[in-house]
Amino acid sequence: MLTRRGRAVVAGVALTALGTAVASPGHALEPDASVETVTSATPAGPGSPAGAGTAEPAATPLPGLAEVPSDPRPNVVVVMADDMRDDEVRWMPNLQRLLGEGGVRFENSFSPHPICCPARASFVSGQYTHNHGVWSNGRNFGFGAYDDRHSLATELSEVGYNTAFLGKYLNGYGAEPPHDGSAEDSLTYVPPGWTDWRGAVGSPPGWDSEEAGGTYRYRDTTLNVNGTLRGNQGWYQTEMLGTETEDVIGQFARSPRPFFLWASYVAPHIGLPDEADDPTTLRRSDGVESRIKTPARPPRVWGLFDDLITEAPGAAGEADVSDKPYFIRSLPEATAEEREAMATLTRQRAESLYVLDEQIGRTADALEAAGELDDTIFMFTSDNGFFIGEHRMRSGKLLPYEPSLRVPTLMSGPGIPAGQTRRDPFLTIDFAPTILDAAGARPDPAMDGVSQLEVARTGDRGWTRGVLTESGPLNAHKYPRGPGPLLDVRPGGPSPLRFSQGVRTDRYLYVEYASREQELYDLRRDPGQLENLADAPAMAPVVRELARELDRLRMCRSDGCATPLPADLQAR
């Protein structure tokens, strides 16, 4: 199989029977000489209409591709999970083999605002929340709040990359109007910069049609395929997106241009339909009814991990939470029934991830079959982590503790050594500048992240910068209200939205809450974050130093977000 470099030399041999199409940013596909037959057609799956897999080539024949010079830049493929914990990599053998043993794993990878929509906006913008403005998953502060005129996709498109998006985008996409106000909803909206767009849409109020599947409906997901809605009833979403990935790779591999593909899966996020082995509604020891929700999985994997997983990661709970903020202090210890429900959640998440892992194998096979694997930087991550019992959180995210903040990040490809680990921090905001660096493009000066490409290739440089953590109070209704109103971390500050801000270093996590409560954890001595040292007299100098660093970071921009920590807070 010829690589892209080889194809560029011989591409002029038999071109008259081929067609091509490429999308202008935000528009339907238009004729161009860079991609062959990028269409909305996809191989049929269960529940798909007969003949849905037939791709019709565009009518316009390709001009001589021999005139297009060989492009030595690598492709970049990013597979993103949803709500996946770092320790769940253990259930994914293909990921471990292909990107772990075959590449570099970043041991300290963090999602600075660990909830879906803000994290995804950080991925595509390279910015912290206080700069991109997406503060929650909720309406007005989710998809519609993100200005997508400048993003990773537009930057790559401008330097000659074909770009493709598949799966879950920012929360509210489909139901909410786009940032530019061009429509009442975004059901058929295609964000700028994407050559091929296949985004899962949420249902706006009152939408009732045969295409009314939802992003979190694992067997009924509607895609906006380059401006046209396509239902996928009866086709398990994770497998459907694996097929879409194969199709995009096959199409893009026919072009001499390098490509960027972001495959964004919902697994292992909770989702419909409910299944027979799901946990039922339970009553906590304080009388509150609760239900631990789970992802949907294909029946063929049910029970796959029953013998391997007997309890949840946080099953031991936390006996003494008297030093925690009010929203943790108010939670009772889990009952035996709740602990079993959390174990069931852990097993079902592993089953969901096992199917996602199969798609990672399919993606690698598709790259190899197309002659692109050796020319591709292959990355895997999650938008944020997830609690399963830690700190009395039965399930959830958002809070800046390790299970929520920490995400898996693995990377393989040209120039990246096999089987190595890195300790330098890799943040969600670092993906955009890292990918642009690989593409030979200068990152947008407005990006707050830092390229980690050379760290991946040549080794650690040292943990020298602080990691800002942020959260918005629009999701705080999930927790009991404290003694006063939910205020900004700093009264009179530029934003009324922040519920918490903190700074994570190699050794410490320091957090300030709008309730005026503080937390400090020494992670070397207390990796489980069980003992809050914020009020310990001996730690007062550390609190003062970290508070100063947080003041510097809380409204940082661009290069200012990577200013080195004080020497005593760095780790070399």
Side-chain angles (χ1 to χ4, degrees), residues 169-337:
Y169 192 46
L170 275 63
N171 298 62
Y173 174 69
E176 298 178 19
H179 182 79
D180 63 9
S182 58
E184 293 183 359
D185 59 50
S186 46
L187 279 173
T188 58
Y189 173 76
V190 177
W194 297 100
T195 310
D196 194 352
W197 175 266
R198 310 184 190 191
V201 295
S203 304
W207 189 33
D208 184 16
S209 74
E210 63 181 13
E211 292 88 18
T215 303
Y216 302 105
R217 299 180 186 179
Y218 275 84
R219 297 186 179 90
D220 185 10
T221 305
T222 297
L223 295 182
N224 169 1
V225 183
N226 299 310
T228 300
L229 298 180
R230 192 195 74 208
N232 295 282
Q233 291 82 8
W235 197 354
Y236 184 68
Q237 183 193 93
T238 305
E239 295 170 338
M240 179 266 290
L241 291 176
T243 300
E244 297 288 330
T245 299
E246 289 180 329
D247 184 49
V248 168
I249 290 171
Q251 302 257 11
F252 278 177
R254 299 169 187 169
S255 168
R257 291 187 181 184
F259 62 83
F260 167 65
L261 166 61
W262 177 13
S264 179
Y265 290 80
V266 168
H269 193 285
I270 64 171
L272 298 172
D274 293 338
E275 296 168 320
D277 60 343
D278 288 349
T280 58
T281 300
L282 299 171
R283 191 176 297 276
R284 298 187 329 201
S285 61
D286 60 358
V288 174
E289 285 192 348
S290 65
R291 182 184 173 195
I292 294 173
K293 298 181 180 181
T294 62
R297 310 94 62 221
R300 64 183 175 83
V301 301
W302 288 15
L304 187 63
F305 293 95
D306 284 358
D307 295 334
L308 295 174
I309 300 174
T310 58
E311 63 180 15
E318 190 169 351
D320 182 4
V321 294
S322 60
D323 59 351
K324 288 287 193 292
Y326 70 88
F327 46 84
I328 297 295
R329 292 197 308 270
S330 65
L331 296 172
E333 290 191 73
T335 65
E337 291 79 10

Side-chain angles (χ1 to χ4, degrees), residues 22 47 146 334 426:
V22 64
Y146 179 58
F426 194 124

Side-chain angles (χ1 to χ4, degrees), residues 443-473:
D444 187 325
M447 290 183 176
D448 305 324
V450 177
S451 172
Q452 300 299 311
L453 185 62
E454 284 306 306
V455 173
R457 287 176 170 167
T458 63
D460 289 322
R461 307 296 176 84
W463 188 326
T464 61
R465 59 175 169 156
V467 176
L468 176 68
T469 73
E470 302 180 282
S471 67

Side-chain angles (χ1 to χ4, degrees), residues 16-210:
T16 55
L18 299 179
T20 186
V22 64
S24 299
H27 295 82
L29 296 174
E30 299 172 355
D32 186 86
S34 56
V35 181
E36 182 198 2
T37 58
V38 177
T39 73
S40 63
T42 305
S48 298
T54 304
E56 294 292 338
T60 305
L62 283 171
L65 280 182
E67 300 173 2
V68 181
S70 173
D71 195 325
R73 295 175 297 173
N75 309 310
V76 180
V77 172
V78 178
V79 174
M80 178 179 284
D82 193 338
D83 285 4
M84 180 182 166
R85 299 165 57 101
D86 181 59
D87 58 10
E88 289 175 314
V89 168
R90 73 185 75 179
W91 313 124
M92 304 179 72
N94 284 322
L95 176 61
Q96 294 179 63
R97 175 177 57 86
L98 293 167
L99 278 74
E101 298 171 12
V104 165
R105 181 171 182 177
F106 284 83
E107 294 181 336
N108 294 302
S109 184
F110 302 103
S111 178
H113 191 154
I115 190 168
C116 298
C117 200
R120 290 161 183 272
S122 288
F123 173 88
V124 77
S125 70
Q127 295 179 320
Y128 279 120
T129 294
H130 64 265
N131 289 327
H132 63 57
V134 178
W135 282 98
S136 83
N137 294 343
R139 193 173 182 87
N140 301 323
F141 295 100
F143 161 74
Y146 179 58
D147 185 350
D148 54 17
R149 291 174 299 175
H150 303 284
S151 71
L152 174 60
T154 60
E155 296 281 317
L156 287 171
S157 177
E158 288 173 3
V159 297
Y161 268 68
N162 290 318
T163 58
F165 176 80
L166 308 174
K168 176 182 171 179
Y169 192 46
L170 275 63
N171 298 62
Y173 174 69
E176 298 178 19
H179 182 79
D180 63 9
S182 58
E184 293 183 359
D185 59 50
S186 46
L187 279 173
T188 58
Y189 173 76
V190 177
W194 297 100
T195 310
D196 194 352
W197 175 266
R198 310 184 190 191
V201 295
S203 304
W207 189 33
D208 184 16
S209 74
E210 63 181 13

